[in-house]
Amino acid sequence: MSPAQDPRAWSVAPDYPGMRDLVADLEVPAGAPMGVMTALETSRELIRHSYYRYEFATVAVTHALFALEQVLVERLAVEEPLRDLVGRADAQGLLGEGLATGLDPCLRLRDRLARGTVASDEVSPAPAVQLVRAVFDAVSALLRPPVVADATGRAADGESARERLDRLWEEHQRAPFPRSFLGVEIAGVCLILLEDAVASAVLREQNGGFDHRSISDLWHRIADLDKIVPLIDEQYCREYFARLRTVAGLAAASQLPPAT
């Protein structure tokens, strides 16, 4: 006797074979190590099987993060919490534009599950596909061969770290500050003062005025951004400060402690 469909998944697909279409474009990146490949394939199958057990969709997201963590540890050669690894990879330009922001909902979901603030039925199958796709895309980006820069620091894709910093900073300056968050503090951090501090550090870096005190202050601001970005529920504001985090990481890139 076949298992019965979970009634909570009745609107996802007309039948179990229809679940295959839902995950059809989740392709495991070529060249993925066995452990990474297995974790990604399992996360994809968990979404398919959420037809029978709704909670599997949420589990699929957290399981996909196992693959991401394995790839990050291998690529960066350093053991750190997953969120720190993502921030480090983004600061070093190993993730494509927007990928770190796309991963943030996955990381927040995992944290909330671990703290018991949400249950295992938090994510329905269709949104789970979008979250897992962000992990697949990040793993694919991380598995690409390292981009080799020439003596001037220009990467093979044509954009130097300096150009990326300048471009993102110009883009950030054109974006309006989220008006509903003026004067708001999150986890004890005032958002407008945080941005002012990062802006000051970026200008010092661009003008060659970095000193030990400036660098130390910038790393404190990066820690503040790592703390508050996962707590922002409003999408525009979260993307605004996630971009600011990338800018801050690029400005501080020359001060990254060596991987061991």
Side-chain angles (χ1 to χ4, degrees):
M1 181 178 178
S2 299
Q5 179 189 20
D6 190 314
R8 294 169 293 179
W10 68 269
S11 62
V12 178
D15 49 30
Y16 179 68
M19 296 296 289
R20 184 179 297 277
D21 295 333
L22 188 66
V23 300
D25 64 343
L26 293 178
E27 297 184 4
V28 177
M34 181 61 69
V36 172
M37 180 179 67
T38 300
L40 292 178
E41 287 179 341
T42 299
S43 67
R44 183 177 61 201
E45 292 305 299
L46 282 166
I47 295 176
R48 288 183 61 207
H49 283 76
S50 66
Y51 181 85
Y52 297 119
R53 182 68 180 181
Y54 191 80
E55 285 81 358
F56 286 173
T58 298
V59 177
V61 180
T62 59
H63 197 86
L65 292 175
F66 297 157
L68 177 64
E69 187 164 3
Q70 290 178 46
V71 173
L72 283 167
V73 169
E74 177 67 23
R75 184 69 185 269
L76 297 171
V78 62
E79 295 273 357
E80 289 180 343
L82 180 55
R83 187 175 294 280
D84 293 343
L85 291 170
V86 171
R88 183 187 285 268
D90 189 42
Q92 293 185 21
L94 301 179
L95 295 173
E97 295 295 337
L99 282 182
T101 302
L103 289 171
D104 189 65
C106 305
L107 298 174
R108 288 191 294 127
L109 174 64
R110 189 192 66 164
D111 291 345
R112 293 165 69 196
L113 284 166
R115 295 173 186 140
T117 56
V118 298
S120 295
D121 61 354
E122 175 71 8
V123 181
S124 58
V129 172
Q130 302 304 317
L131 294 174
V132 170
R133 181 178 291 112
V135 178
F136 271 64
D137 290 345
V139 169
S140 180
L142 290 163
L143 288 175
R144 296 187 192 115
V147 175
V148 179
D150 60 23
T152 68
R154 184 175 297 279
D157 63 4
E159 186 176 49
S160 67
R162 162 58 58 188
E163 288 170 338
R164 185 175 184 233
L165 170 61
D166 291 344
R167 174 175 58 79
L168 287 178
W169 181 235
E170 182 180 352
E171 177 185 322
H172 187 77
Q173 289 180 301
R174 290 198 304 266
F177 188 93
R179 294 185 61 84
S180 60
F181 286 82
L182 284 169
V184 170
E185 289 189 4
I186 297 179
V189 178
C190 177
L191 299 189
I192 191 69
L193 292 180
L194 175 60
E195 178 170 51
D196 287 346
V198 173
S200 177
V202 171
L203 290 174
R204 285 196 190 96
E205 196 278 341
Q206 289 179 324
N207 295 323
F210 249 1
D211 54 28
H212 291 300
R213 182 174 181 179
S214 301
I215 294 166
S216 176
D217 183 67
L218 180 56
W219 280 109
H220 279 96
R221 302 291 77 78
I222 289 174
D224 286 341
L225 285 161
D226 286 341
K227 178 170 64 174
I228 64 101
V229 168
L231 303 177
I232 302 174
D233 291 328
E234 200 275 324
Q235 181 177 357
Y236 176 79
C237 186
R238 184 172 65 250
E239 292 176 351
Y240 184 92
F241 280 94
R243 181 176 54 237
L244 187 65
R245 168 62 176 84
T246 300
V247 168
L250 286 168
S254 63
Q255 305 301 319
L256 280 170
T260 55

